[in-house]
Amino acid sequence: MSYIKCLYCRECGREYPVAPEHVCEFCFGPLEVGYDYEAIKKVISKDKIQKGPLSIWRYEDLLPVTRDAGIDMGTGFTPLVKAENLGKLLGLNNLYIKNDSTNPTYSFKDRVVSVATNKALEFGFDTLACASTGNLAGAVSAHGAKAKIDTKVFFPSDLEQGKILGAAIYGATLVAVDGTYDEVNRLCSELADNHRWAFVNVNMRPYYSEGSKTLGYEVAEQLGWRAPDRCIVPAASGSLFTKIWKGLNELKDLGLLDSVDTFMDLAQPDGCSPIVEAFDQDTYHVKPVKPETIAKSLAIGNPADGFYALKTIAETKGNAVRVPEPEVAECMKLLAETEGIFTETAGGVVISALRSLAKRGIISADEVVVAFVTGNGLKTVEVIEDAADPVFTDPDYKSFQDALDVWNKRN
Ligand SMILES: *Cc1c(COP(=O)(O)O)cnc(C)c1O
Ligand SMILES: [Zn+2]
């Protein structure tokens, strides 16, 4: 069973029934899921979780919906890899990569969509939809196919081929909007008001965003029921960042973690860094920007959870890091060459932020650091096209030896 109790307004605290709503009618604050934690406390235990499925559903007691609605793609419980090689390079003895690029559609978005899809089915919706920066389109399309419901995904038309095809293959209706993500989102908000469609990140947003908490649960469990000393997380809307923090604190409040003293560090690319800009200006007012970044999955100029992300940074004495655009592809290569993990641009942003914090001496050598790699590099091959530099040879021994000599001189 699910222990969801209500929705409540994050600003004024007013409670609402469990429904596909996302804004407070009184103060326009965002709605958040409220749980019956007393009841959860009675049933949850490390043992019960460890006996659960190897997916996000092992944390079902802490989610706003159960699997019973029907859609289980095997999302979650992705590898937490000890990054010995990259750690050595950066002078870090306890560096881990949470590799969420191994999810069913190769990004962390399967977590939020698995939760939102089951909730949408429970509410009786027959259309699944989203406003996407790329990965969400793929996750929604796959879940819509599995749920056998009509699926419409909206995205900015300048998206990478890998993201467009990675949604198209599932048979969803693709809507390529001639505009920025923020314009796509505005269009979808209007559509959600006038159609009975489950927009996972609009009218279903309170449920959707809860899916991200599972990343916090997993790293704590995978570290042996211990919170990381530091999390480094890429931000678009800022939701993932705040929910990892929420997840860790829920485990502490339920007595599953002794303490949570985690620095929460947020990373954005230079071409779209409105949250970092507000942090640098020492304000909680996030000024919208027009994104111009190669990290398209992070290209949200007007981040819905920017304010809450800034509060999390302040509360944890964390950092906000702006990553130079040329370092995005460079750090995708760095992670691939050191750890054998091929991440997309958002992962390049995280690794660059990690490197910058390590170089500046902000991370101490023995801290348990988790860098969140949220998506797969095969979806953004455009940005690393110059990485391929083969030895061209005729198919005979001598030609190969000569070609290799020439190649070695060049490299
Ligand atoms: C969507 C996305 C993010 C950021 O998510 P928010 O919750 O909007 O901050 C990070 N990484 C990847 C790969 C994404 O697709
Ligand atoms: Zn309110």
Side-chain angles (χ1 to χ4, degrees):
M1 69 180 265
S2 171
Y3 296 94
I4 183 169
K5 197 175 64 180
C6 62
L7 295 178
Y8 69 91
C9 173
R10 261 151 104 176
E11 289 306 313
C12 73
R14 234 184 214 89
E15 291 197 5
Y16 290 85
V18 175
E21 301 288 345
H22 66 118
V23 213
C24 176
E25 284 170 19
F26 293 89
C27 77
F28 302 105
L31 300 183
E32 176 97 351
V33 173
Y35 296 90
D36 182 352
Y37 286 111
E38 287 311 308
I40 295 173
K41 210 167 195 163
K42 290 199 184 97
V43 297
I44 206 164
S45 68
K46 292 177 189 173
D47 190 52
K48 184 183 177 199
I49 292 170
Q50 281 160 198
K51 284 186 180 133
L54 292 173
S55 70
I56 58 168
W57 300 110
R58 67 206 274 109
Y59 310 106
E60 199 169 61
D61 292 338
L62 289 161
L63 294 175
V65 66
T66 67
R67 268 187 303 174
D68 302 343
I71 303 306
D72 180 358
M73 310 265 293
T75 297
F77 219 71
T78 54
L80 181 71
V81 183
K82 182 100 194 265
E84 307 272 3
N85 300 336
L86 182 58
K88 191 166 242 172
L89 207 69
L90 301 177
L92 303 174
N93 301 322
N94 294 299
L95 174 63
Y96 292 85
I97 303 293
K98 179 62 170 165
N99 185 7
D100 234 23
S101 69
T102 65
N103 273 308
T105 69
Y106 316 106
S107 87
F108 98 91
K109 291 294 198 300
D110 287 318
R111 297 176 184 275
V112 282
V113 175
S114 285
V115 171
T117 303
N118 281 296
K119 201 70 194 172
L121 293 176
E122 201 183 278
F123 284 138
F125 282 103
D126 57 13
T127 300
L128 202 61
C130 70
S132 176
T133 57
N135 285 310
L136 189 56
V140 165
S141 301
H143 284 76
K146 181 89 170 152
K148 295 183 284 191
I149 61 177
D150 191 35
T151 305
K152 293 181 173 61
V153 297
F154 297 72
F155 51 83
S157 54
D158 70 348
L159 218 55
E160 301 97 338
Q161 270 296 303
K163 302 248 167 99
I164 295 174
L165 296 175
I169 189 69
Y170 303 108
T173 303
L174 308 188
V175 185
V177 179
D178 183 14
T180 64
Y181 169 82
D182 299 283
E183 290 168 317
V184 174
N185 192 47
R186 215 168 305 136
L187 168 64
C188 290
S189 298
E190 211 178 319
L191 287 167
D193 286 342
N194 293 291
H195 297 266
R196 214 185 127 65
W197 294 349
F199 277 91
V200 297
N201 57 337
V202 183
N203 48 338
M204 296 296 291
R205 192 170 178 85
Y207 312 99
Y208 159 96
S209 59
E210 288 288 287
S212 290
K213 296 190 307 185
T214 56
L215 264 170
Y217 305 149
E218 278 176 30
V219 296
E221 183 183 348
Q222 288 169 319
L223 289 169
W225 299 103
R226 171 200 200 286
D229 296 323
R230 184 181 298 277
C231 291
I232 306 178
V233 183
S237 72
S239 171
L240 168 65
F241 181 77
T242 64
K243 293 289 177 162
I244 290 172
W245 177 238
K246 179 177 178 182
L248 291 171
N249 282 285
E250 282 180 328
L251 294 187
K252 185 187 71 181
D253 294 342
L254 290 162
L256 301 178
L257 295 178
D258 293 336
S259 59
V260 177
D261 300 300
T262 308
F263 297 112
M264 293 294 298
D265 297 337
L266 175 146
Q268 293 194 301
D270 187 38
C272 184
S273 46
I275 304 175
V276 184
E277 180 61 22
F279 179 82
D280 287 348
Q281 301 295 327
D282 207 10
T283 170
Y284 286 99
H285 177 71
V286 179
K287 218 170 111 213
V289 300
K290 188 170 188 319
E292 269 173 66
T293 174
I294 65 162
K296 294 182 195 288
S297 56
L298 303 181
I300 297 186
N302 189 8
D305 291 277
F307 169 76
Y308 300 100
L310 288 162
K311 282 190 32 176
T312 300
I313 299 172
E315 196 183 335
T316 66
K317 301 192 170 55
N319 302 278
V321 183
R322 180 188 282 112
V323 167
E325 291 287 328
E327 289 190 18
V328 176
E330 184 210 330
C331 287
M332 287 166 64
K333 287 180 199 159
L334 177 62
L335 182 65
E337 290 174 2
T338 53
E339 297 300 330
I341 295 172
F342 183 18
T343 183
E344 70 145 83
T345 48
V349 169
V350 163
I351 300 303
S352 167
L354 164 73
R355 183 173 69 179
S356 154
L357 291 165
K359 275 189 180 162
R360 281 147 60 195
I362 291 171
I363 311 179
S364 51
D366 290 325
E367 273 180 31
V368 174
V369 181
V370 178
F372 289 78
V373 160
T374 47
N376 193 299
L378 285 170
K379 290 201 212 177
T380 61
V381 287
E382 291 90 340
V383 306
I384 45 111
E385 257 160 11
D386 64 347
D389 174 24
V391 178
F392 282 106
T393 179
D394 289 331
D396 64 83
Y397 194 95
K398 170 104 181 40
S399 297
F400 169 68
Q401 288 298 344
D402 293 346
L404 186 62
D405 284 345
V406 172
W407 190 91
N408 277 333
K409 273 191 202 105
R410 183 153 44 84
N411 280 274

